[in-house]
């Protein structure tokens, strides 16, 4: 448990101390955010706010994870694992795609960076690499980081998709959630706050899996997962990094995470869901991200079919802004929705365990 607290603490401290340094460095280099011309008028005042703060989140997460292992030296079976490294690879890889997108926005002084094809290719390379590698590296019990079945709280055996099917679904899942967090990152602190709550839920669930791991505690309701403690350390470091960044990102934001942060956070969420066998449960935990994404899909599809709009503006948070809600009101209420979704998801996770133990 000490190592989990250390991962979260170092992620928090590094993020909260490094973010103002990044603000000054990015401001000197003119790394300012470009604002959509068709967005809410209240956002025009944010033009020039330093962006690419996601570099701090990614760096703090990686550092928090690695430093936590200093407290596990000498403990058998507690070193850096394949699962932990794969999750960090996914986060850093998608963060790099987002960094290129942010850099092009700054260089060309417009709100559009990489075109859709280039961004999808980047996500494709990183996502497929992660998916293929996650089906390898079995432990002593033959358990790999990922499985070839679709999962909810555990693998759903009838939904066995095979290695090729898993790789395809994993890519769609990773791309979907990384883009979902990216779409949600439109208001000060919104994506960082919601992400912190989801990672907090995964700290609880993965640590519960660690204490009920079939490899060490073959009891009713145990979990067939690889390296659950290491997953907890990654989730805890990401939780701390998001909270530290949120200190400076909350309204009025001193810095934005940019695509560097949003793609990295969404990718890490999906990766953790895959290795903890909770893929469909993430749809509940990240319900707000799903709703924001659906608002864009519905808006585009309905407009193409009828030339009319369902929402005043998509993504969903801009609809409520144009409806007259203050930005802080939208942010806090969306945080509340995420909190309720996370609580419900944790309830479903625990209810599954109770149903198998007969308690």
């Amino acid at each position: 448990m000490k190592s989990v607290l250390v991962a979260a603490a170092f992620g928090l401290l590094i993020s909260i101390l490094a973010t103002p340094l990044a603000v000054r460095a990015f401001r000197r280099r003119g790394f300012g955010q470009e604002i959509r011309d068709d967005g809410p008028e209240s956002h025009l005042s944010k033009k020039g706010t330093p962006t690419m703060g996601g570099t701090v989140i990614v760096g703090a997460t990686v550092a928090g994870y690695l430093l936590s292992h200093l407290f596990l030296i000498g403990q058998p079976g507690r070193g850096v694992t394949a699962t932990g490294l794969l999750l960090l690879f996914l986060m850093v890889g998608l963060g790099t795609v987002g960094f290129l997108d942010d850099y092009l926005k700054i260089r060309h002084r417009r709100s559009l960076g990489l075109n859709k094809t280039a961004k999808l290719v980047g996500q494709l390379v990183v996502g497929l690499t992660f998916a293929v590698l996650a089906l390898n590296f079995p432990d002593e019990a033959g358990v790999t980081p990922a499985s070839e079945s679709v999962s909810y709280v555990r693998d759903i055996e009838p939904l066995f998709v095979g290695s090729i099917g898993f790789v395809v679904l994993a890519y769609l899942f990773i791309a979907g959630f990384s883009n979902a967090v990216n779409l949600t990152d439109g208001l000060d602190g919104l994506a960082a706050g919601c992400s912190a709550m989801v990672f907090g839920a995964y700290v609880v669930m993965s640590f519960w899996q660690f204490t009920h791991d079939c490899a060490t505690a073959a009891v009713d309701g145990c979990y067939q997962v690889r390296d659950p403690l290491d997953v907890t350390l990654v989730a805890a470091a990401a939780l701390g990094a998001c909270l530290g960044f949120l200190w400076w990102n909350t309204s009025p934001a001193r810095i934005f995470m940019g695509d560097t942060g949003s793609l990295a956070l969404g990718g890490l969420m999906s990766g953790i869901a895959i290795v903890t066998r909770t893929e469909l449960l993430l749809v509940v935990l990240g319900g707000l991200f799903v709703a924001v994404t659906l608002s864009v899909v519905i808006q585009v599809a309905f407009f193409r079919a009828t030339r009319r709009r369902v929402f005043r503006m998509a993504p969903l948070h801009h609809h409520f802004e144009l409806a007259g809600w203050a930005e802080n009101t939208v942010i806090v209420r969306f945080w509340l929705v995420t909190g309720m979704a996370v609580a419900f998801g944790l309830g479903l996770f625990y209810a599954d365990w109770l149903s198998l133990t007969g308690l």
Side-chain angles (χ1 to χ4, degrees), residues 64-85:
Y65 167 80
L66 294 176
L67 289 170
S68 68
H69 275 279
L70 296 177
F71 293 79
L72 296 174
I73 293 177
Q75 298 185 30
R78 293 289 184 265
V80 173
T81 67
T83 305
L85 293 177

Side-chain angles (χ1 to χ4, degrees), residues 173-213:
F173 191 64
I174 292 167
F177 260 92
S178 59
N179 287 324
V181 177
N182 183 232
L183 290 171
T184 306
D185 183 34
L187 300 179
D188 296 354
L190 179 57
C194 294
S195 297
M197 285 184 259
V198 175
F199 287 125
Y202 272 114
V203 170
V204 174
M205 291 191 297
S206 56
F207 191 76
W208 183 265
Q209 290 179 333
F210 167 65
T211 58
H212 297 78
D213 185 3

Side-chain angles (χ1 to χ4, degrees), residues 147-161 277 279-281:
S147 73
E148 297 176 359
S149 295
V150 177
S151 62
Y152 163 54
V153 175
R154 306 165 191 274
D155 284 342
I156 305 173
E157 296 302 334
L159 295 182
F160 178 82
V161 295
R277 313 296 198 263
E279 294 153 8
L280 297 182
L281 187 61

Side-chain angles (χ1 to χ4, degrees), residues 122-265:
Q123 292 172 318
L124 179 68
V125 172
V126 176
L128 290 185
T129 303
F130 169 84
V132 171
L133 293 176
L135 290 177
N136 294 281
F137 306 105
D139 60 11
E140 295 80 1
V143 180
T144 55
S147 73
E148 297 176 359
S149 295
V150 177
S151 62
Y152 163 54
V153 175
R154 306 165 191 274
D155 284 342
I156 305 173
E157 296 302 334
L159 295 182
F160 178 82
V161 295
S163 58
I164 296 177
F166 165 76
V167 169
V168 173
L169 289 177
Y171 161 67
L172 295 175
F173 191 64
I174 292 167
F177 260 92
S178 59
N179 287 324
V181 177
N182 183 232
L183 290 171
T184 306
D185 183 34
L187 300 179
D188 296 354
L190 179 57
C194 294
S195 297
M197 285 184 259
V198 175
F199 287 125
Y202 272 114
V203 170
V204 174
M205 291 191 297
S206 56
F207 191 76
W208 183 265
Q209 290 179 333
F210 167 65
T211 58
H212 297 78
D213 185 3
C214 292
T216 56
V219 297
D220 290 340
C222 67
Y223 298 89
Q224 196 76 22
V225 294
R226 194 193 196 287
D227 311 316
L229 179 59
D230 223 30
V231 177
T232 307
L233 297 180
V234 174
L239 166 63
C242 286
L243 291 177
F245 182 78
L246 183 61
W247 182 269
W248 305 101
N249 180 235
T250 192
S251 182
R254 295 274 303 279
I255 188 172
F256 299 137
M257 69 170 66
D259 285 17
T260 307
S262 58
L263 293 183
L265 292 176

Side-chain angles (χ1 to χ4, degrees), residues 33-36 39-40 42-44 46 105 179-194 249 251 253 255-259 262 288-289 292 313-319 321 327-328 330-331 334-335:
Q33 177 70 41
E34 297 297 322
I35 303 298
R36 289 172 54 181
S42 59
H43 288 208
L44 296 178
K46 301 180 182 183
K105 291 176 184 176
N179 287 324
V181 177
N182 183 232
L183 290 171
T184 306
D185 183 34
L187 300 179
D188 296 354
L190 179 57
C194 294
N249 180 235
S251 182
I255 188 172
F256 299 137
M257 69 170 66
D259 285 17
S262 58
L288 180 72
F289 300 122
V292 168
M313 185 179 179
L316 190 59
H317 40 274
H318 294 322
H319 166 79
E321 278 192 289
E327 180 176 352
N328 282 341
V330 178
I331 295 167
F334 276 35
W335 281 350

Side-chain angles (χ1 to χ4, degrees), residues 294-310:
L294 287 177
S295 72
V296 175
V297 173
I298 292 170
Q299 183 86 322
V300 172
F302 194 79
F303 183 78
R304 288 180 177 176
T306 67
R307 312 307 296 178
R308 299 176 64 184
R309 292 178 171 82
V310 177

